[in-house]
Amino acid sequence: MSVFPPWPDQPPLRCVFVRDLLLEANIGVFAHEQGVTQRICVNVAFGVADMPGLDVGADELDRTVSYEDVVLLVRDLVRQGHVQLVETLAERIAAGMLADTRIRVARIRVEKLDIFADARAVGVEIERRSPHPVP
C-alpha cells in the first residue's frame, strides 16, 4: 500500500501510514448486519508534500501530518452510525483526510474481518488525489 508516484516530474511525497486499525463498526447491507457491530480493519497511507533535495528537515511536527489526527478522524467516522458499504466508509475517510490541503493523495483500505470462515477479510481499497493545486 504505497502512495509514491511512479513518475519523476511530480513533487516528492512523504508516505505516512496507519496499519491495521481494528474497530467495531455498524456496517453492512443485509438484515443480519443491522443493529450489531462487526470487526473491521482500516489501513491508510497518505502522501504529504516533501521538499525536493532535502536530506534532513526540521525535527518538527508541523512539516508533516500527524497520524494521530487521521486515527481520530477514522474513529469518529465509524462512530457516526450505520453505513451500508465499505466503499462508502472508505470514501468518507478519504474526503476527511483530503480536507487537509497538505495531503496530496490518500489510499484507504477497509476490510470486514469475519465474513467468510475461509477468508481473512473482504473489503475495498481506494485511492483519491487532492483537488487542491500543488503549492
Side-chain angles (χ1 to χ4, degrees):
M1 180 178 235
S2 177
V3 293
F4 292 117
W7 47 91
D9 61 331
Q10 294 296 311
L13 297 177
R14 173 179 292 115
C15 183
V16 183
F17 61 88
V18 176
R19 266 193 208 131
D20 299 335
L21 179 61
L22 299 173
L23 300 167
E24 291 285 329
N26 292 298
I27 193 164
V29 296
F30 297 111
H32 68 275
E33 296 175 305
Q34 308 300 311
V36 297
T37 61
Q38 297 183 59
R39 287 184 332 125
I40 64 169
C41 180
V42 177
N43 285 273
V44 297
F46 51 100
V48 178
D50 206 354
M51 296 177 66
L54 186 66
D55 289 332
V56 178
D59 190 22
E60 297 170 359
L61 182 59
D62 65 354
R63 66 183 270 240
T64 191
V65 174
S66 171
Y67 40 77
E68 180 182 21
D69 293 343
V70 173
V71 168
L72 294 173
L73 169 73
V74 173
R75 288 177 182 159
D76 183 56
L77 289 169
V78 167
R79 279 194 290 263
Q80 286 183 7
H82 190 89
V83 64
Q84 294 193 85
L85 302 174
V86 290
E87 289 85 351
T88 303
L89 181 56
E91 291 161 355
R92 289 177 182 172
I93 293 168
M97 291 174 64
L98 291 172
D100 185 327
T101 58
R102 297 172 297 171
I103 297 177
R104 308 310 310 150
V105 59
R107 183 170 288 168
I108 295 88
R109 179 185 302 148
V110 177
E111 301 171 278
K112 293 168 75 172
L113 300 179
D114 302 313
I115 302 303
F116 299 109
D118 54 351
R120 190 187 69 75
V122 298
V124 68
E125 182 173 329
I126 66 168
E127 180 177 285
R128 297 293 187 266
R129 297 197 173 273
S130 173
H132 310 288
V134 176

